Amino acid sequence: MKDWNSSMNIQLVKKNNVDQDMLSYEKNLRQHKLKTAGMVVAVIAIIGLCLYGIKISLDHRSYTTCEVVRSFDRSDTITTKYTEFLSYVIKYSKDGISCVDSENNLVWSQTYNMQDPVINVCQDSLAIADRNGTDVIIFNQTGMQGQVQTLLPIRQISVSQQGVLAVLLEDGDTSRVNLYAKDGSQIVESKFELSETGYPLRIALSADATKLAVSFLQVQNGSISSCVAFYNFDSVGENYEDHLVSSKILQGTVMPDVQYTDSTHCFFAGAGELLFFEGTQIPEETADVTIEQKILSIFSSSKYVGVVRKRAEKSYALQVYNMQGKQEFRTEFDQDYTTLKFSGNNILIYNDFEYTMMNHAGNIFFEGTFEESISDLYTLSGNNRYMVLHAGKTDQIRLK
């Protein structure tokens, strides 16, 4: 007769063995996964530490000498002015404007007759106008894109990325701001009465041409104040009177400078104050920064705003803020300067013969002197290649 109890015991033993094998397998699998995860975390941590070490090394890297690697003759007039435009250099004077590359090769040029040419750049568009005249020309990296002729004298211009142009015009006790397309057609017409809004000191058009920032000076009963205002020319602005979507009154202060750095970020600057705004349709204030002493210079890029003020210990103090109004760094330098600007990832400080180069962390990595006077100076690549414009030639230099 078959022993069913014996058969069942054998099955139970086998089942128990299988369960123990599964538990052992799952335990080993968990240990393997934990070990693998630990190794991944360790590798990521090591890579992070290496990258941080490289960043620290680059932030504190300095150079001791420089050499001229290439030189190109140039024949500009003494009144020629220069500005950076993408990877090119713009040269302009009363007679015309030209765009050249880093080897002084002509990209495009345009002649004109302007008594006081002023230029404005926004990403891959630029405009040049005859201040107190009536002519404006719009360009991109391929050359002229359009012309605008106004009926009233031009005080200031601001161009957008796609070439839409805002022009501040003088009309007696009335100031006007008109927007024009690249083909010269008028898109928007607005006017500001001195007795109502105050005197517009400066305008700034957003990169997408949908918003206009204006700084007004107001005088009432012998007291001065500023009004910072935003106008929206998109569909949102149609729901507001005169397209005015936001404004703020600042008592006892003057805000003579305003700049849009892209489509959403804008800042106003006064003698001892910075106001930061952000918004795609209705800009809102994100920071109000008080500067301890009088501001001597303000310069900006698409990401940062630099402020220079006088110091007792050294000649100058430099503070750099991001577009949210947070201070990135604060440092000092003692070189007198005529120009101070962001170029590439660097800050360039120079006068006729002396120059100081500072990285994005505020560390000075090179100081030098040229035998020939400096017309302008630009970053070519990284921290060690630059283009120097002298009176009669262009030099490409490399730091070592």
Side-chain angles (χ1 to χ4, degrees):
M1 185 175 180
K2 189 172 182 180
D3 188 350
W4 290 103
N5 290 331
S6 174
S7 176
M8 184 172 290
N9 288 337
I10 292 171
Q11 290 176 359
L12 288 173
V13 169
K14 287 182 177 179
K15 184 177 186 301
N16 289 335
N17 289 338
V18 171
D19 290 342
Q20 289 175 0
D21 290 343
M22 284 298 296
L23 289 172
S24 177
Y25 171 75
E26 290 174 354
K27 181 180 179 181
N28 291 335
L29 182 61
R30 283 196 300 270
Q31 290 177 342
H32 176 72
K33 287 181 176 179
L34 288 172
K35 184 178 179 180
T36 302
M39 291 177 64
V40 171
V41 171
V43 170
I44 291 174
I46 291 170
I47 293 173
L49 287 172
C50 290
L51 292 175
Y52 180 73
I54 292 171
K55 179 182 182 300
I56 293 297
S57 176
L58 292 175
D59 286 349
H60 291 83
R61 183 177 182 180
S62 61
Y63 302 87
T64 56
T65 61
C66 75
E67 64 176 355
V68 177
V69 293
R70 303 189 73 181
S71 187
F72 309 94
D73 291 333
R74 204 181 67 252
S75 56
D76 299 330
T77 65
I78 195 170
T79 59
T80 300
K81 298 178 182 179
Y82 309 90
T83 193
E84 271 184 275
F85 179 55
L86 303 174
S87 60
Y88 307 107
V89 172
I90 297 297
K91 306 189 293 184
Y92 63 101
S93 64
K94 294 182 177 182
D95 302 319
I97 183 172
S98 61
C99 176
V100 298
D101 63 18
S102 61
E103 298 182 357
N104 202 43
N105 295 314
L106 182 65
V107 179
W108 52 258
S109 66
Q110 179 66 42
T111 59
Y112 54 67
N113 183 17
M114 296 186 183
Q115 296 305 307
D116 186 10
V118 290
I119 200 165
N120 183 255
V121 176
C122 178
Q123 299 176 23
D124 51 3
S125 289
L126 72 87
I128 189 163
D130 189 7
R131 183 159 45 195
N132 297 320
T134 58
D135 294 318
V136 189
I137 310 176
I138 302 165
F139 301 87
N140 65 12
Q141 58 187 334
T142 64
M144 189 176 76
Q145 298 298 298
Q147 292 179 279
V148 173
Q149 189 164 46
T150 65
L151 300 176
L152 296 168
I154 298 167
R155 277 183 47 208
Q156 190 212 333
I157 59 169
S158 183
V159 70
S160 72
Q161 180 183 7
Q162 63 266 45
V164 174
L165 183 73
V167 184
L168 177 59
L169 302 166
E170 197 74 62
D171 189 13
D173 290 338
T174 301
S175 293
R176 300 178 183 271
V177 175
N178 293 346
L179 265 62
Y180 299 90
K182 287 188 294 185
D183 61 7
S185 60
Q186 185 172 294
I187 304 172
V188 174
E189 180 180 14
S190 60
K191 67 176 181 178
F192 306 110
E193 298 288 349
L194 181 63
S195 58
E196 297 176 1
T197 61
Y199 186 75
L201 295 176
R202 197 152 187 89
I203 62 171
L205 187 64
S206 63
D208 60 3
T210 62
K211 298 171 292 297
L212 180 75
V214 186
S215 178
F216 293 97
L217 173 65
Q218 299 178 335
V219 181
Q220 189 172 13
N221 299 325
S223 299
I224 63 169
S225 62
S226 289
C227 175
V228 296
F230 290 93
Y231 297 85
N232 185 303
F233 300 113
D234 208 353
S235 57
V236 172
E238 295 176 0
N239 300 318
Y240 293 79
E241 185 178 357
D242 297 328
H243 294 265
L244 176 64
V245 295
S246 176
S247 65
K248 180 180 180 178
I249 302 294
L250 302 163
Q251 298 292 343
T253 188
V254 180
M255 306 296 280
D257 195 14
V258 55
Q259 294 184 45
Y260 254 106
T261 58
D262 54 25
S263 295
T264 58
H265 296 91
C266 177
F267 73 91
F268 293 81
E273 186 176 11
L274 292 175
L275 284 177
F276 292 87
F277 289 83
E278 182 177 352
T280 56
Q281 295 292 341
I282 302 176
E284 296 181 354
E285 184 179 329
T286 55
D288 185 346
V289 179
T290 299
I291 308 299
E292 298 171 0
Q293 295 170 299
K294 182 180 179 181
I295 297 174
L296 298 179
S297 302
I298 295 176
F299 60 108
S300 65
S301 67
S302 61
K303 296 181 179 179
Y304 303 106
V305 179
V307 174
V308 179
R309 55 191 178 82
K310 194 72 174 176
R311 289 282 291 173
E313 298 83 4
K314 285 196 171 185
S315 295
Y316 306 101
L318 170 62
Q319 295 164 244
V320 171
Y321 299 87
N322 62 26
M323 291 312 299
Q324 285 71 45
K326 180 183 177 182
Q327 183 173 287
E328 293 288 323
F329 68 83
R330 178 175 179 172
T331 189
E332 298 177 356
F333 64 95
D334 56 9
Q335 179 187 298
D336 290 329
Y337 65 92
T338 55
T339 304
L340 191 149
K341 65 181 180 181
F342 291 103
S343 180
N345 292 322
N346 306 313
I347 296 174
L348 305 182
I349 307 166
Y350 55 97
N351 54 38
D352 286 345
F353 295 96
E354 302 170 303
Y355 59 102
T356 296
M357 297 176 175
M358 188 180 296
N359 64 21
H360 61 277
N363 298 313
I364 294 174
F365 58 86
F366 192 75
E367 295 176 288
T369 303
F370 290 114
E371 293 182 358
E372 298 181 73
S373 63
I374 306 170
S375 298
D376 226 323
L377 178 64
Y378 302 99
T379 300
L380 282 179
S381 62
N383 280 4
N384 70 330
R385 291 182 62 86
Y386 297 87
M387 179 165 54
V388 188
L389 278 67
H390 299 292
K393 65 176 182 176
T394 298
D395 288 339
Q396 291 184 12
I397 65 171
R398 179 171 61 211
L399 306 185
K400 299 190 296 180

